[in-house]
């Protein structure tokens, strides 16, 4: 069983500078064949839609890399391409990732003119020393200016990314960052702990013992402070790493957490179409060559079994604080998750990591801190 995709992710891999923690597919912008890349993205999109048509988009997310590193003309080309292939009649959310120092008033006006209605901005911290440590090139002033400019053109649905557990970061640093972030009065925050990913500057420095990270207890305290401050300022934690004022939850990310299918277009993008998860070639030359040869740039594809779909429904859905509902599960898979995963659910409830309310199960507060342990219990389960 599969559902028609109503969400699309577009990957723009170009960056003016490379952050020390980022493991997403990206390349330095200077000297890159950006216009050619946009042409190939359209070829991939055309081939994808021919094989898997849609009735219309509900959400679109443009990520990277740094989408706003593109010039005005390049952004115009991209946005025109997207709107020429999708109906926006059902579109609820159109998000673009932005770096503050590369997001001019003119680019924001262009986004607004093409139907973009949400801005997701990478801030991470408000201390110049921490930003330098991260390899970020923006300033506090850039953030405030970009938020003001976005509102000036009518883009009021703004999300800020915050990070914790950073090298040399303290709880007081995080409190200061949150205080300044709250002063901007944006409706959404995404907040992530630092993960050391292979092939990043931080990973290599950590391997050499050169990265001074907070102790585990201090990082846990940062997460606790984060949740307390968000609640105090009127933001609901609707997912492990996401907080929103009512009505401003990320509709696109909910497509992922609800285990819905989506198009993934661009070098290094991942997609989920007709029950098949696929990964695109990352290097630009390989991406171009694959599209020339096959129309799509897939380097890996996996058809999910019914068991795998049920597992994903659980560990993706449990990221949401509302959890997962058995009635939805039965509608999708013809079986109750209390039957499929009854042993795991019972054990996690006894450990105080899950709670049950009617037909719904969700993480407890303790379970939020130990989410990965909970999710692992639903992977590789043998069922009859």
């Amino acid at each position: 069983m599969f559902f028609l995709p109503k969400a699309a992710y577009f990957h723009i891999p170009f960056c003016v500078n490379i952050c020390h923690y980022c493991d997403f597919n990206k390349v330095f912008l200077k000297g890159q064949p950006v216009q050619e890349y946009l042409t190939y993205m359209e070829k991939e999109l055309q081939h994808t839609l021919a094989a898997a048509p849609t009735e219309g988009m509900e959400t679109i997310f443009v990520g990277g890399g740094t989408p706003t590193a593109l010039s005005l003309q390049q952004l115009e080309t991209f946005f025109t391409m997207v709107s020429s292939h999708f109906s926006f009649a059902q579109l609820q959310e159109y998000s673009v990732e932005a770096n503050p120092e590369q997001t001019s008033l003119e680019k924001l006006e262009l986004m607004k003119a093409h139907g973009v209605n949400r801005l997701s901005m990478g801030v991470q911290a408000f201390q110049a020393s921490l930003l330098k440590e991260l390899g970020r090139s923006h300033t506090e002033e850039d953030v405030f200016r970009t938020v003001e400019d976005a509102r000036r053109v009518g883009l009021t649905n703004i999300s800020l990314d915050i990070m914790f557990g950073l090298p040399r970061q303290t709880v007081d640093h995080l409190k200061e960052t949150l205080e300044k972030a709250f002063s901007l009065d944006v409706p959404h925050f995404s907040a992530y702990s630092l993960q050391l990913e292979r092939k990043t500057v931080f990973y290599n420095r950590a391997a050499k013992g050169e990265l001074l990270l907070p102790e585990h207890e201090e990082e846990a305290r940062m997460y606790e402070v984060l949740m307390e401050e968000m609640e105090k300022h009127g933001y609901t934690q609707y997912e492990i790493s996401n907080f929103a004022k009512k009505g401003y939850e990320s509709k696109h990310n909910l497509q992922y957490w609800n285990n819905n299918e989506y198009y993934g277009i661009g070098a290094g993008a991942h997609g989920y179409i007709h029950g098949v998860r696929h990964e695109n070639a990352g290097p630009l030359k390989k991406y171009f060559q694959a599209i020339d040869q096959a129309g799509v740039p897939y380097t890996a594809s996996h058809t999910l079994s019914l068991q795998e779909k049920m597992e994903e429904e659980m560990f993706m859905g449990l990221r949401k604080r509302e959890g997962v509902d058995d009635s939805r599960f039965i509608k999708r898979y013809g079986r109750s998750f209390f039957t499929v995963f009854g042993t795991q659910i019972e054990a996690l409830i006894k450990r105080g990591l899950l709670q049950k309310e009617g037909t719904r199960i969700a993480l407890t507060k303790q379970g939020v801190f130990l989410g990965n342990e909970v999710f692992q219990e639903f992977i590789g389960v043998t069922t009859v």
Side-chain angles (χ1 to χ4, degrees), residues 103-235:
T103 307
S104 65
L105 180 64
E106 292 77 15
K107 290 179 182 179
L108 291 165
E109 288 173 337
L110 182 66
M111 291 181 205
K112 179 68 174 175
H114 281 274
V116 173
N117 59 13
R118 185 174 184 271
L119 197 68
S120 178
M121 186 157 53
V123 173
Q124 320 315 353
F126 276 103
Q127 295 78 25
S129 59
L130 290 181
L131 291 172
K132 183 177 179 181
E133 184 82 21
L134 291 169
R136 304 286 296 184
S137 59
H138 72 264
T139 64
E140 177 182 326
E141 291 74 20
D142 290 327
V143 175
F144 278 77
R145 173 192 55 78
T146 305
V147 170
E148 182 181 346
D149 285 348
R151 287 180 173 141
R152 189 183 305 174
V153 304
L155 282 171
T156 56
N157 189 355
I158 302 168
S159 177
L160 302 186
D161 286 354
I162 303 293
M163 293 183 72
F164 62 95
L166 302 174
R168 306 182 188 279
Q169 187 184 36
T170 66
V171 172
D172 285 341
H173 281 142
L174 179 62
K175 287 181 177 178
E176 181 184 31
T177 286
L178 290 173
E179 183 180 353
K180 291 183 177 181
F182 291 140
S183 75
L184 289 164
D185 195 28
V186 298
H188 189 282
F189 288 99
S190 294
Y192 305 99
S193 63
L194 174 67
Q195 303 296 313
L196 295 178
E197 305 288 357
R198 291 181 179 275
K199 299 181 181 179
T200 64
V201 172
F202 275 176
Y203 184 88
N204 294 332
R205 285 177 57 190
K208 297 175 184 177
E210 298 174 356
L211 204 62
L212 186 62
L213 295 171
E215 296 292 333
H216 178 74
E217 293 76 13
E218 187 170 24
E219 183 179 331
R221 176 58 185 152
M222 289 182 189
Y223 188 37
E224 191 172 30
V225 166
L226 175 74
M227 291 190 290
E228 290 170 354
E229 290 297 315
M230 288 290 175
E231 183 177 10
K232 188 187 302 182
H233 286 81
Y235 295 87

Side-chain angles (χ1 to χ4, degrees), residues 27-41:
V27 293
F28 281 110
L29 175 66
K30 188 175 181 180
Q32 295 296 334
V34 178
Q35 201 63 41
E36 185 178 8
Y37 177 74
L38 297 176
T39 299
Y40 272 90
M41 282 186 85

